[in-house]
Coordinates of all heavy atoms in Angstrom, one line a residue:
Chain J
C13 N 13.4 11.2 -12.8 CA 13.7 10.5 -11.7 C 14.5 9.2 -12.1 O 14.2 8.6 -13.1 CB 12.3 10.0 -11.0 SG 12.3 10.5 -9.4
P14 N 15.4 8.7 -11.4 CA 15.8 9.1 -10.0 C 17.0 10.2 -9.8 O 17.4 10.6 -8.9 CB 16.5 7.9 -9.3 CG 17.1 7.1 -10.4 CD 16.3 7.6 -11.8
K15 N 17.2 10.8 -11.1 CA 18.4 11.9 -11.0 C 18.2 13.1 -10.0 O 19.3 13.2 -9.3 CB 18.5 12.5 -12.5 CG 19.9 13.1 -12.9 CD 20.9 12.1 -13.2 CE 22.3 12.8 -13.2 NZ 22.4 13.7 -14.4
P16 N 17.1 13.5 -10.0 CA 17.0 14.7 -9.1 C 17.1 14.3 -7.5 O 17.7 15.0 -6.8 CB 15.5 15.2 -9.2 CG 15.1 14.7 -10.6 CD 15.9 13.5 -10.8
L17 N 16.8 13.0 -7.3 CA 16.9 12.5 -5.9 C 18.3 12.2 -5.7 O 19.0 12.6 -4.6 CB 16.1 11.3 -5.8 CG 14.7 11.2 -5.8 CD1 14.0 10.0 -6.0 CD2 14.2 11.6 -4.4
I18 N 19.1 11.6 -6.7 CA 20.5 11.5 -6.4 C 21.3 12.8 -6.5 O 22.2 12.9 -5.5 CB 21.1 10.6 -7.7 CG1 20.5 9.3 -7.7 CG2 22.6 10.5 -7.7 CD1 20.7 8.4 -8.9
M19 N 21.0 13.8 -7.1 CA 21.6 15.1 -7.2 C 21.4 15.7 -5.7 O 22.3 16.3 -5.2 CB 21.1 16.0 -8.2 CG 21.5 15.6 -9.6 SD 20.6 16.5 -10.8 CE 21.3 18.0 -10.9
T20 N 20.2 15.6 -5.2 CA 19.8 16.2 -4.0 C 20.7 15.4 -2.8 O 21.3 16.1 -2.0 CB 18.3 16.0 -3.6 OG1 17.6 16.6 -4.6 CG2 17.9 16.6 -2.3
R21 N 20.7 14.3 -2.8 CA 21.4 13.4 -1.8 C 23.0 13.8 -1.9 O 23.6 14.1 -0.7 CB 21.2 12.0 -2.0 CG 21.7 11.1 -0.8 CD 21.5 9.7 -1.1 NE 21.4 8.9 0.2 CZ 22.3 8.5 0.8 NH1 23.6 8.7 0.4 NH2 22.2 7.7 1.9
K22 N 23.4 14.0 -3.1 CA 24.9 14.2 -3.3 C 25.1 15.7 -2.7 O 26.3 15.7 -2.1 CB 25.2 14.2 -4.7 CG 26.7 14.2 -5.1 CD 27.1 13.8 -6.4 CE 28.8 14.0 -6.6 NZ 29.3 15.1 -6.2
A23 N 24.2 16.6 -3.0 CA 24.4 17.9 -2.6 C 24.4 18.1 -1.1 O 25.3 18.8 -0.4 CB 23.4 18.8 -3.1
I24 N 23.6 17.3 -0.3 CA 23.6 17.2 1.1 C 24.9 16.8 1.5 O 25.5 17.3 2.6 CB 22.3 16.4 1.7 CG1 21.1 17.2 1.1 CG2 22.4 16.4 3.1 CD1 19.9 16.3 1.4
K25 N 25.4 15.7 0.9 CA 26.6 15.1 1.3 C 27.8 16.0 1.2 O 28.8 16.1 2.1 CB 26.9 13.8 0.6 CG 28.0 12.9 1.3 CD 28.2 11.6 0.3 CE 29.3 10.9 0.9 NZ 29.7 9.9 0.1
D26 N 27.8 16.8 0.2 CA 29.0 17.6 -0.3 C 29.0 18.9 0.4 O 30.1 19.6 0.4 CB 29.1 17.6 -1.8 CG 29.3 16.5 -2.5 OD1 29.7 15.5 -1.8 OD2 29.1 16.3 -3.7
Y27 N 27.9 19.2 0.9 CA 27.8 20.8 1.3 C 27.1 20.9 2.7 O 25.9 20.4 2.8 CB 27.2 21.4 0.1 CG 27.0 23.0 0.4 CD1 28.2 23.9 0.3 CD2 25.8 23.6 0.8 CE1 28.2 25.2 0.4 CE2 25.8 25.0 1.0 CZ 27.0 25.7 0.8 OH 26.9 27.1 1.1
S28 N 27.6 21.6 3.6 CA 26.8 22.0 4.9 C 26.4 23.5 4.7 O 27.3 24.3 4.5 CB 27.7 21.9 6.0 OG 28.1 20.5 6.2
G29 N 25.2 23.8 4.7 CA 24.6 25.1 4.6 C 23.3 25.1 3.8 O 22.8 23.9 3.5
P30 N 22.9 26.2 3.5 CA 21.5 26.3 2.7 C 21.7 25.8 1.3 O 22.6 26.1 0.6 CB 21.2 27.7 2.8 CG 22.5 28.5 3.2 CD 23.3 27.5 3.7
I31 N 20.7 25.0 0.9 CA 20.6 24.4 -0.5 C 19.3 24.8 -1.0 O 18.2 24.6 -0.5 CB 20.9 22.9 -0.4 CG1 22.3 22.6 0.2 CG2 20.7 22.3 -1.9 CD1 22.6 21.0 0.2
E32 N 19.3 25.1 -2.3 CA 18.0 25.4 -3.0 C 18.1 24.3 -4.2 O 18.9 24.2 -5.0 CB 18.0 26.7 -3.6 CG 16.7 26.9 -4.5 CD 16.6 28.3 -5.2 OE1 17.5 29.1 -5.0 OE2 15.7 28.5 -5.9
I33 N 16.9 23.7 -4.3 CA 16.8 22.6 -5.3 C 15.8 23.2 -6.3 O 14.6 23.3 -5.9 CB 16.4 21.2 -4.7 CG1 17.5 20.7 -3.6 CG2 16.3 20.1 -5.8 CD1 16.8 20.0 -2.6
I34 N 16.1 23.1 -7.6 CA 15.1 23.6 -8.7 C 14.7 22.3 -9.4 O 15.4 21.7 -10.0 CB 15.7 24.6 -9.5 CG1 16.3 25.8 -8.7 CG2 14.7 25.4 -10.3 CD1 17.2 26.9 -9.5
L35 N 13.4 22.2 -9.5 CA 12.8 21.1 -10.3 C 11.7 21.7 -11.2 O 11.0 22.7 -11.0 CB 12.2 20.1 -9.4 CG 13.1 19.5 -8.1 CD1 12.2 19.3 -6.9 CD2 13.8 18.4 -8.7
D36 N 11.5 20.9 -12.4 CA 10.5 21.4 -13.2 C 9.4 20.4 -13.5 O 8.7 20.6 -14.5 CB 11.1 21.9 -14.6 CG 11.8 20.8 -15.3 OD1 11.8 19.7 -14.8 OD2 12.4 21.0 -16.5
N37 N 9.2 19.3 -12.6 CA 8.0 18.6 -12.8 C 7.6 18.0 -11.5 O 8.4 17.8 -10.5 CB 8.4 17.4 -13.8 CG 9.2 16.3 -13.2 OD1 8.6 15.5 -12.5 ND2 10.5 16.3 -13.5
E38 N 6.2 17.9 -11.5 CA 5.6 17.8 -10.1 C 6.0 16.4 -9.5 O 6.1 16.1 -8.3 CB 4.2 17.7 -10.3 CG 3.4 18.1 -9.0 CD 2.1 18.5 -9.1 OE1 1.6 18.7 -10.4 OE2 1.4 18.6 -8.1
T39 N 6.3 15.3 -10.4 CA 6.6 14.0 -9.9 C 7.9 14.0 -9.1 O 8.0 13.6 -8.1 CB 6.7 13.0 -11.1 OG1 5.5 12.9 -11.7 CG2 7.0 11.5 -10.6
A40 N 9.0 14.8 -9.7 CA 10.2 14.8 -9.1 C 10.1 15.6 -7.8 O 10.7 15.3 -6.7 CB 11.2 15.7 -10.0
F41 N 9.3 16.7 -7.9 CA 9.1 17.6 -6.7 C 8.5 16.6 -5.6 O 8.9 16.6 -4.5 CB 8.1 18.7 -7.0 CG 7.7 19.6 -5.8 CD1 8.6 20.2 -5.0 CD2 6.4 19.5 -5.3 CE1 8.2 21.0 -4.0 CE2 6.1 20.1 -4.2 CZ 6.9 20.9 -3.4
G42 N 7.5 15.9 -5.8 CA 6.8 14.9 -4.9 C 7.9 14.0 -4.3 O 8.0 13.8 -3.2
N43 N 8.6 13.3 -5.2 CA 9.6 12.4 -4.8 C 10.6 13.0 -3.9 O 11.0 12.6 -2.8 CB 10.3 11.7 -6.0 CG 9.2 10.9 -6.8 OD1 8.2 10.6 -6.2 ND2 9.6 10.4 -8.0

Side-chain angles (χ1 to χ4, degrees):
Chain J
C13 239
K15 197 79 190 294
L17 287 159
I18 294 168
M19 291 166 76
T20 300
R21 196 178 199 280
K22 189 171 183 308
I24 294 170
K25 190 179 176 195
D26 293 348
Y27 186 74
S28 296
I31 298 178
E32 176 182 357
I33 304 144
I34 309 172
L35 303 152
D36 63 0
N37 75 83
E38 202 166 348
T39 302
F41 173 69
N43 292 344

